[in-house]
Amino acid sequence: GENVEQHPSTLSVQEGDSAVIKCTYSDSASNYFPWYKQELGKRPQLIIDIRSNVGEKKDQRIAVTLNKTAKHFSLHITETQPEDSAVYFCAADSGGYQKVTFGTGTKLQVIP
Amino acid sequence: DAGVIQSPRHEVTEMGQEVTLRCKPISGHNSLFWYRQTMMRGLELLIYFNNNVPIDDSGMPEDRFSAKMPNASFSTLKIQPSEPRDSAVYFCASSREGGNTEAFFGQGTRLTVV
């Protein structure tokens, strides 16, 4: 089955700085790589996703890159703001199994 | 649409009791997932349904856990008998088509077994 590893587990940055979270996956058949944000006490919500036919995708201050050869993908948040503080999860689908495996999460703290 | 609806939001029960968690997925979504979230183990997939049929239950921890989806608009996760180590937040999520489309999560059920 799919195995998704995520680093770092915690990340503190100053407001305005950039934050990068990295994930690796094991299943070469994976094609869909979503990122979810979970604020304290709330549900995970999708913030951006990428499919294997593209290498990069941007949405305002958030970008995701994918390297299928190396089986890793990353989340980049620029100009961080206090409201970016949350736990971020990467995930990868499992090809034919049609399910998503989540990474262990990164707790991001943006210091004002 | 009101999104994925879970009930109850909080459940406190005594060890050995039966617990039933409920979920109403988004209308039109054909995939439903049950997840368990703890500090130690993160977000774990317990079971996944597609068109009301259980596809993968390899994440169900043991026979005390069971899940059903009698129709497209309702699913249950049952724990019988419950144990303190079952204490966690249980999320239900639905997606339009399997694991390669966005999953919409319910607000979760915080279960405490004392």
Side-chain angles (χ1 to χ4, degrees):
Chain A
E2 177 70 279
N3 182 44
V4 178
E5 295 189 356
Q6 182 172 350
H7 301 279
S9 57
T10 60
L11 179 61
S12 291
V13 299
Q14 291 293 134
E15 183 178 358
D17 287 350
S18 295
V20 180
I21 302 170
K22 298 182 179 182
C23 289
T24 60
Y25 62 98
S26 60
D27 188 350
S28 57
S30 295
N31 289 308
Y32 177 63
F33 307 91
W35 287 86
Y36 288 82
K37 176 183 180 181
Q38 186 179 25
E39 297 177 354
L40 187 62
K42 298 191 176 180
R43 76 191 85 185
Q45 291 187 292
L46 183 78
I47 54 171
I48 194 168
D49 56 15
I50 190 168
R51 297 188 184 274
S52 58
N53 57 344
V54 297
E56 184 176 4
K57 184 176 180 180
K58 287 185 179 180
D59 183 2
Q60 300 182 347
R61 297 185 296 108
I62 294 174
V64 58
T65 59
L66 171 65
N67 183 327
K68 284 219 73 178
T69 303
K71 295 185 194 166
H72 64 73
F73 56 115
S74 301
L75 178 71
H76 304 253
I77 306 174
T78 59
E79 301 173 21
T80 53
Q81 301 169 3
E83 52 264 39
D84 295 330
S85 295
V87 177
Y88 292 81
F89 293 94
C90 64
D93 76 333
S94 297
Y97 289 98
Q98 292 283 294
K99 67 179 183 181
V100 161
T101 301
F102 282 82
T104 49
T106 297
K107 184 176 182 180
L108 173 65
Q109 181 184 18
V110 179
I111 304 167
Chain B
D1 199 313
V4 176
I5 300 173
Q6 289 186 247
S7 64
R9 292 291 310 280
H10 303 273
E11 177 79 32
V12 180
T13 190
E14 291 186 346
M15 183 175 62
Q17 295 298 305
E18 177 180 297
V19 175
T20 299
L21 311 182
R22 296 173 176 81
C23 176
K24 181 181 187 307
I26 292 173
S27 177
H29 284 189
N30 69 2
S31 299
L32 183 140
F33 309 84
W34 281 101
Y35 289 93
R36 178 173 68 177
Q37 187 173 37
T38 61
M39 288 293 293
M40 292 298 294
R41 301 174 70 89
L43 204 55
E44 302 174 275
L45 177 66
L46 301 178
I47 187 169
Y48 154 53
F49 292 87
N50 191 49
N51 292 323
N52 314 338
V53 176
I55 302 300
D56 186 343
D57 65 355
S58 59
M60 296 287 261
E62 46 197 278
D63 292 345
R64 298 184 296 107
F65 286 69
S66 62
K68 294 182 180 180
M69 192 165 185
N71 56 62
S73 59
F74 184 65
S75 177
T76 60
L77 177 67
K78 185 177 295 186
I79 308 172
Q80 166 63 16
S82 58
E83 296 182 4
R85 60 194 169 112
D86 300 331
S87 298
V89 178
Y90 290 81
F91 285 104
C92 173
S94 70
S95 70
R96 191 172 302 280
E97 185 65 51
N100 60 3
T101 55
E102 179 179 359
F104 293 82
F105 284 77
Q107 291 184 299
T109 295
R110 181 174 294 279
L111 173 64
T112 303
V113 183
V114 298

